[in-house]
Amino acid sequence: MVMHILQEILGLALAAAPWLLLGLMAAGAVKAWVPEALMRRWVGGDGFAGVARGAVIGAPLPLCSCGAIPTGITLYRGGAGRGPTTAFMIGTPGIGVDSLAVSYALLGPFMMLARALGAVVTAIATGLLVGFSRGVAPAAVDAPSGAAACTGGCCGDDASVHDHGHAPAPSPAGPGGRLRAGLAYAFTELLDDIGPWILGGLILAGVLVGLVPDAWWAGLENGPFTLLLLSLVGIPLYICATAATPVAAGLLAAGLSPGAVLVFLLAGPVTSLATLGVLRREMGNAALGLYLGGIVASTVALGLGLDLLVGALGLDVPAQAGAVRELTPAWLGWAALAVLLAVGLRPLRRGLAGLGRRLALAE
């Protein structure tokens, strides 16, 4: 049984590693070329256009829920509306270029597309609801403190919190310098943030597939009650979007419907207890209630709609996911996993950095 679980974990890790590596590179490019000042100009107004911009702009950014908190609240205190701010804070952690790459590898192109559209729809619907609320006025323009904004989830040490937007370092001059800084962020701070959660997600996925009988999952009724339960469980159970993907792959392989898997993928990453606390402080109880109601209603509706669509089209989503994994050569999976371990494990990373400096001095 233990060997079976380890084989499942290794198989998922090898399938996800090349795409996670590609996603981290894309995340570094996004970090380098999307300045916060530009986001502040785009996220404005309280109508549908502003909310949609907030959701779409936030979607590709490589930030978890805790990372989206200081950025989103800074935008709100700088004049962005409640609706666009809420849409940004939901769309940003719901998906990202890194999690979409891993979604393609482990869940297939159909679920990757459903996840991307579902996160944007959830962000827009909830942002429109929160936009109707009135109450607490924005505080003075100032980034929230690390203690107030990051109290759980994927927030790590002080350096990680600092990088997430509380007092960003000056941007290097020139395109090459910005790109190097973005890639350094992706393969250090971002990977440090999501790495332990990805490992936990892989372990949980292996346990789900290895220990829980398929008949138990198949016996669950994939109806509104199951989807509602997954949504309610996912809201306080914060898990990064990338780390949620292997767990979702395990649930899909075990027999849970694509709609139920989508609910888990949407409800878990988009919020955290830290987000709920900061939202209540900044916008009041009415906004918090609309925020929670919007997420639950949107995710359940999207899950039910996806199950109906899959049934109407006759899609075999688990088979599609398996076919994508077979496209990746074994050597590429091992090579990508070795690179991720080299840069993800801090002692190895420090050793490689020291070796690089010595070689540069020798030249």
Side-chain angles (χ1 to χ4, degrees):
M1 182 65 69
V2 174
M3 289 302 299
H4 179 54
I5 293 174
L6 292 177
Q7 288 173 355
E8 292 290 342
I9 294 172
L10 181 60
L12 289 172
L14 290 174
W19 298 96
L20 177 58
L21 193 62
L22 180 64
L24 287 170
M25 293 178 183
V30 171
K31 177 73 174 179
W33 297 108
V34 183
E36 186 175 302
L38 183 61
M39 289 191 296
R40 188 177 292 112
R41 288 199 301 269
W42 284 348
V43 182
D46 287 309
F48 177 81
V51 172
R53 284 197 303 269
V56 173
I57 290 169
L61 298 183
L63 293 176
C64 64
S65 178
C66 284
I69 291 172
T71 305
I73 294 303
T74 300
L75 293 174
Y76 175 61
R77 292 179 176 182
R82 289 170 172 244
T85 299
T86 302
F88 177 88
M89 292 175 66
I90 292 175
T92 302
I95 51 174
V97 287
D98 51 337
S99 61
L100 286 181
V102 178
S103 296
Y104 178 83
L106 299 183
L107 300 171
F110 179 79
M111 285 299 294
M112 180 197 70
L113 181 61
R115 182 181 194 178
L117 293 177
V120 172
V121 169
T122 300
I124 291 175
T126 307
L128 289 173
L129 280 176
V130 174
F132 290 123
S133 67
R134 294 291 181 269
V136 181
V141 179
D142 185 25
S145 67
C150 279
T151 58
C154 63
C155 295
D157 54 21
D158 292 339
S160 172
V161 172
H162 174 87
D163 185 80
H164 278 322
H166 296 292
S171 299
R178 288 199 299 270
L179 183 59
R180 285 193 297 272
L183 291 174
Y185 159 79
F187 284 95
T188 54
E189 282 89 350
L190 179 59
L191 188 56
D192 286 344
D193 276 351
I194 68 177
W197 293 91
I198 294 175
L199 178 60
L202 289 170
I203 293 172
L204 182 55
V207 171
L208 287 173
V209 175
L211 292 184
V212 182
D214 291 352
W216 188 87
W217 293 108
L220 287 177
E221 295 184 2
N222 291 306
F225 177 76
T226 299
L227 271 62
L228 177 61
L229 181 62
L230 284 171
S231 181
L232 293 175
V233 169
I235 287 176
L237 183 66
Y238 174 71
I239 182 170
C240 289
T242 307
T245 310
V247 180
L251 295 174
L252 185 65
L256 217 58
S257 75
V261 171
L262 180 65
V263 170
F264 173 78
L265 285 171
L266 295 178
V270 299
T271 191
S272 66
L273 293 178
T275 307
L276 300 181
V278 172
L279 190 76
R280 179 180 179 275
R281 185 193 66 194
E282 296 289 329
M283 300 186 188
N285 291 326
L288 178 62
L290 291 170
Y291 175 87
L292 292 172
I295 290 176
V296 171
S298 299
T299 55
V300 171
L302 288 167
L304 291 172
L306 184 66
D307 281 340
L308 291 175
L309 180 62
V310 169
L313 298 178
L315 296 177
D316 189 344
V317 177
Q320 188 184 86
V324 171
R325 295 185 205 178
E326 293 175 359
L327 295 176
T328 306
W331 66 266
L332 182 59
W334 283 105
L337 186 59
V339 171
L340 289 172
L341 289 175
V343 297
L345 297 176
R346 295 186 185 185
L348 287 178
R349 187 168 70 207
R350 286 195 292 266
L352 290 174
L355 178 62
R357 286 193 294 269
R358 288 194 293 273
L359 291 175
L361 290 174
E363 292 177 356

